[in-house]
Amino acid sequence: MNDSLNLLIGLAMGLNLLALGTSRLPVLIRAVGAQGVLLGLVPLVLEAHELDWRLVLITLATVAGKGFLIPGLLHRAMRTANIARELEPYIAYIPSLLLGAGATIAAVSLARHLPLLPEHAGTLHVPGAIALILTGFILLIGRTKAISQVCGYLILENGIYLAGLLLIRSTPILVEFGILLDVTVGIFVIGIIVDRIQRAFDSLDTRKLTALHE
Amino acid sequence: MNSMLLILIPVVGAALAAIWPDRRTRPLLLPAVGAAHFALCLWLMAAPAAVDPAAWLAFDPLARAILPGVSLLFLVCACYAASYLRLKEQGNRVFVAALLLVLGLLSAGHQARHLGILWIATEAVTLACVPLIHFTGTPRAFEATWKYLLVGGTGIALSLLGSICLGYASLHGGGSGDITFTALLAHGPSLSKTWVLTAWVLLLVGYGTKMGLAPMHTWKPDTYGESPGLVGALLAGGVTSVAFTAILRVKSVIDAAGEGAMADRSLLALGLFSTLTAALFLLRTRDFKRMLAYSSIEHMGILCIASSFGSAGVWAALFHVWSNGLTKGTLFLSAGNLQRAAGSASMDDARGMSKILPHNSRLFVAGMFAITACPPFGPFFSELLIVRTGLAGDHPWAIGLFLVCLLLAFFGLSHVVFAIVDGRPRLKKPDPAHIRETAGLVLPPLALLAASLWLGLFTPAILKDAWSAAVLQLFPLP
């Protein structure tokens, strides 16, 4: 079980670096979507010994939401806004990559110092979650286009979802669904706002959002 | 069941608003639902039912101590909204439905006894507020909404991570990972310390962002500055109070885990920092709605300071939630009227408002004195109680700094308020429709001011009992 779990999470961590290093928005969106699919499969690996309808349902909903629905909405927003590249990030691509690599190393060493249950201690589960959260933050802070920031937010959410899977045996289904629903609705709302900003400012550059300051 | 009705009535109202065909009569749903909600709150308050400890949602003592105040604020804002929406040409379907949904979700958040439910309710309130914030449709409003979503969304994501850490603390301590507050409190001392501390930091930052504590406050001035006045009133008095309830509930778990002293220290530091930051910004702001946002940041800081003073401090904080919420309501509603008449919220453009909107100007000035803790309004008595509790608890330095901040805030607020009220009128483009002071636009802020006065002079025994019961819930006798 640990090998396939580490493979899924390791691939998801690799996609972090792809997301940090690319200037092309379609690549970024695809990386986030692929990460969603990989993480959606994690519950199946974690609970492989006792599969039930509830688990399959969660897996299907997560893969469909994180892997296809949300990236699809982002692709559409990108096409309407007619932009394909993030040209002037606050943090350039090479420094972003270096920061991301640093964050991954920090996540692994931090996880080693945290008190973990034996079944979580030898895996990439906790380091992966921390690395995803930190990568999300780097993208949120370092990018100027609204769509890139949404992608950063999604990677942050992916990390928190992975952390939530630590409790998969004890958190009731209602809560898991509620969380997934909130994320999905959140993206819908963000999508609408992105559309409105595009119409109001003729651009999706958040640097233009500077009328409000002290 | 009755506690579920508090959630269901507004949600059904929201659904009804979404299918209601007539634009002119739709806003009347707001006061109707608000009145039903408030009546039910009062009834539940007068005859509190026993709470099933395992329930995920219940009108427990902490909900009883705060939710009726939010319900009252909503009812008054709903009456105001009916008149406000009559001034607007645009469609109000989404606005009315979202407003009612916010009431239902606030009821759920205040009554949540499960960390996951609490999180879902808070996140959903954040999202339901989005169409309210950009209702005016200006580019500035969209900019404010974007910042609100991004900062608020990140904050709420961190509080989810904190909730997960608290669940893991239970799992690691040999518990079942059950994240109802009852189970977490029962496990108290056996919770894993490292994970409890991690959870507290994340939850304090996360829900602190929703409350608008500095330095996570950056969304607040923009959002309050650009959204309609009644939305600002509900955000400042309702949404922030859910986040405050969350912090209080989580803190009781941290207390039970034996880390209460650390939690108190961090609350005091964050509270003082917020109060000081807000006071300094108040000295230089020129926009009277952004001014209200900084004042809100200041009062959220005051709530944190009070909560760090133990059980007596929490009692004072609950009193302050009421007095701050109702008084802020007066200020936001009258500020909305002044802003529409002046065509701007900047003190460079709005002058001599006492000649144009005499009643609203009077209310605005009285509200300013009330919120800066001048007697005999509610905030004076709640803040006096906080000062007394702090001095009795041996925190002279904190109280000294707190009083300096209050003084600075008074200078900042009075400077802006008198600048716009005094002088000769100078309007950019006078619009006669917005210069009329109809009863529907004046009576609601007046009612809230009267409530603040009544709270200060004759704090009802039923409220005092409710606050004491909530303190007993948060600090169970050993």
Side-chain angles (χ1 to χ4, degrees):
Chain A
M1 161 198 139
N2 279 352
D3 284 343
S4 34
L5 179 71
N6 283 346
L7 179 68
L8 283 177
I9 297 176
L11 285 174
M13 287 164 86
L15 288 169
N16 281 345
L17 300 180
L18 180 63
L20 286 168
T22 182
S23 69
R24 299 191 56 231
L25 289 180
V27 177
L28 178 58
I29 296 172
R30 252 178 241 134
V32 172
Q35 204 173 50
V37 173
L38 288 170
L39 296 181
L41 297 175
V42 169
L44 286 186
V45 177
L46 282 177
E47 299 287 279
H49 47 282
E50 43 179 339
L51 279 180
D52 60 5
W53 62 269
R54 180 198 125 177
L55 203 64
V56 175
L57 209 62
I58 291 177
T59 306
L60 283 178
T62 315
V63 169
K66 283 184 183 290
F68 298 96
L69 180 67
I70 294 171
L73 286 169
L74 283 174
H75 265 293
R76 218 189 59 185
M78 186 190 72
R79 276 198 303 274
T80 7
N82 203 17
I83 45 167
R85 272 179 193 277
E86 166 87 45
L87 286 174
E88 294 168 68
Y90 289 125
I91 306 176
Y93 302 101
I94 302 297
S96 303
L97 263 178
L98 290 176
L99 272 176
T104 310
I105 295 167
V108 174
S109 67
L110 182 64
R112 202 170 288 169
H113 289 98
L114 284 172
L116 295 177
L117 292 174
E119 65 260 37
H120 301 132
T123 67
L124 281 175
H125 198 148
V126 177
I130 301 174
L132 259 68
I133 292 166
L134 293 175
T135 304
F137 269 119
I138 297 172
L139 276 175
L140 266 174
I141 300 164
R143 299 293 181 258
T144 54
K145 293 278 187 286
I147 292 179
S148 313
Q149 291 179 340
V150 174
C151 287
Y153 184 69
L154 285 171
I155 294 181
L156 174 76
E157 287 273 15
N158 277 346
I160 292 172
Y161 163 82
L162 190 55
L165 292 181
L166 292 169
L167 301 177
I168 190 165
R169 288 190 189 87
S170 46
T171 313
I173 186 167
L174 180 72
V175 176
E176 290 162 33
F177 266 105
I179 290 166
L180 191 67
L181 185 76
D182 267 337
V183 174
T184 318
V185 175
I187 298 303
F188 265 112
V189 176
I190 289 176
I192 295 167
I193 288 297
V194 164
D195 180 54
R196 296 284 171 85
I197 292 178
Q198 159 71 17
R199 269 192 248 160
F201 293 88
D202 231 11
S203 147
L204 269 189
D205 195 332
T206 52
R207 279 173 311 167
K208 289 201 179 160
L209 302 181
T210 50
L212 304 177
H213 59 85
E214 212 60 57
Chain B
M1 185 58 217
N2 290 329
S3 60
M4 285 306 286
L5 273 181
L6 283 177
I7 304 168
L8 278 176
I9 293 175
V11 170
V12 170
L16 201 61
I19 53 169
W20 197 272
D22 182 30
R23 186 174 69 86
R24 296 176 56 82
T25 50
R26 193 182 300 122
L28 295 176
L29 281 170
L30 290 169
V33 173
H37 190 271
F38 185 57
L40 186 57
C41 267
L42 283 184
W43 184 49
L44 285 174
M45 216 175 156
V51 175
D52 172 14
W56 284 11
L57 280 164
F59 197 72
D60 64 359
L62 189 55
R64 184 153 61 99
I66 299 185
L67 187 56
V70 175
S71 180
L72 175 61
L73 179 67
F74 184 90
L75 174 60
V76 177
C77 287
C79 296
Y80 176 89
S83 305
Y84 168 75
L85 290 171
R86 210 169 292 153
L87 295 173
K88 296 275 168 185
E89 287 302 313
Q90 70 211 88
N92 55 31
R93 186 184 300 270
V94 177
F95 190 82
V96 173
L99 213 51
L100 290 170
L101 202 57
V102 165
L103 178 64
L105 293 167
L106 286 178
S107 309
H110 276 292
Q111 299 189 86
R113 294 167 57 83
H114 183 287
L115 265 170
I117 302 284
L118 176 62
W119 184 83
I120 291 172
T122 319
E123 164 87 343
V125 168
T126 307
L127 296 174
C129 284
V130 166
L132 304 178
I133 295 169
H134 66 66
F135 182 63
T136 52
T138 59
R140 290 167 63 95
F142 285 114
E143 179 182 338
T145 314
W146 180 250
K147 286 188 184 162
Y148 167 81
L149 264 177
L150 216 59
V151 180
T154 312
I156 204 76
L158 289 182
S159 53
L160 174 60
L161 191 60
S163 310
I164 294 168
C165 288
L166 216 44
Y168 202 73
S170 149
L171 212 56
H172 195 267
S176 61
D178 183 350
I179 48 175
T180 55
F181 286 105
T182 311
L184 285 171
L185 282 171
H187 271 101
S190 70
L191 296 173
S192 158
K193 290 281 183 294
T194 314
W195 286 103
V196 164
L197 292 179
T198 315
W200 171 247
V201 172
L202 291 167
L203 285 160
L204 186 61
V205 171
Y207 285 116
T209 310
K210 284 269 92 203
M211 262 179 94
L213 293 170
M216 296 85 73
H217 66 284
T218 47
W219 58 274
K220 218 168 189 177
D222 300 341
T223 307
Y224 289 9
E226 301 309 317
S227 55
L230 82 125
V231 177
L234 284 174
L235 283 169
V239 177
T240 52
S241 70
V242 169
F244 179 60
T245 315
I247 289 181
L248 284 181
R249 285 188 197 272
V250 171
K251 189 178 162 286
S252 70
V253 174
I254 311 293
D255 283 342
E259 295 290 341
M262 185 278 310
D264 283 339
R265 274 200 303 279
S266 48
L267 268 176
L268 183 62
L270 201 57
L272 284 172
F273 183 68
S274 297
T275 316
L276 184 64
T277 308
L280 294 177
F281 271 103
L282 274 172
L283 287 175
R284 47 184 285 221
T285 186
R286 302 187 69 77
D287 178 306
F288 60 83
K289 277 177 86 186
R290 293 174 74 86
M291 169 193 90
L292 295 182
Y294 288 117
S295 169
S296 172
I297 296 167
E298 180 204 349
H299 287 270
M300 292 304 121
I302 294 175
L303 290 181
C304 286
I305 295 172
S307 317
S308 72
F309 294 158
S311 54
V314 170
W315 199 93
L318 293 171
F319 185 3
H320 195 65
V321 168
W322 277 71
S323 56
N324 171 53
L326 296 177
T327 316
K328 271 287 155 41
T330 310
L331 282 165
F332 270 105
L333 297 187
S334 51
N337 292 337
L338 294 174
Q339 183 190 18
R340 268 195 313 284
S344 160
S346 164
M347 64 189 245
D348 304 314
D349 303 323
R351 286 286 157 105
M353 297 308 291
S354 61
K355 304 271 186 332
I356 304 164
L357 296 184
H359 296 310
N360 275 290
S361 299
R362 277 183 213 125
L363 282 169
F364 200 51
V365 172
M368 185 274 292
F369 279 118
I371 205 70
T372 50
C374 294
F377 296 99
F380 170 73
F381 292 96
S382 54
E383 286 178 28
L384 188 65
L385 198 58
I386 293 169
V387 169
R388 273 203 203 138
T389 320
L391 290 178
D394 212 12
H395 295 279
W397 288 106
I399 293 299
L401 181 58
F402 170 69
L403 290 173
V404 170
C405 292
L406 287 191
L407 193 65
L408 292 180
F410 176 75
F411 287 141
L413 282 159
S414 54
H415 170 64
V416 178
V417 170
F418 285 118
I420 60 160
V421 169
D422 275 346
R424 196 178 295 167
R426 190 178 70 193
L427 295 185
K428 271 168 138 182
K429 38 175 184 188
D431 180 352
H434 290 156
I435 296 183
R436 275 215 329 273
E437 290 191 296
T438 56
L441 295 178
V442 174
L443 289 180
L446 181 66
L448 287 172
L449 191 68
S452 169
L453 192 66
W454 165 71
L455 206 59
L457 293 178
F458 319 97
T459 319
I462 188 170
L463 275 183
K464 289 183 177 171
D465 290 346
W467 299 333
S468 301
V471 169
L472 208 60
Q473 179 191 337
L474 293 170
F475 296 88
L477 294 173

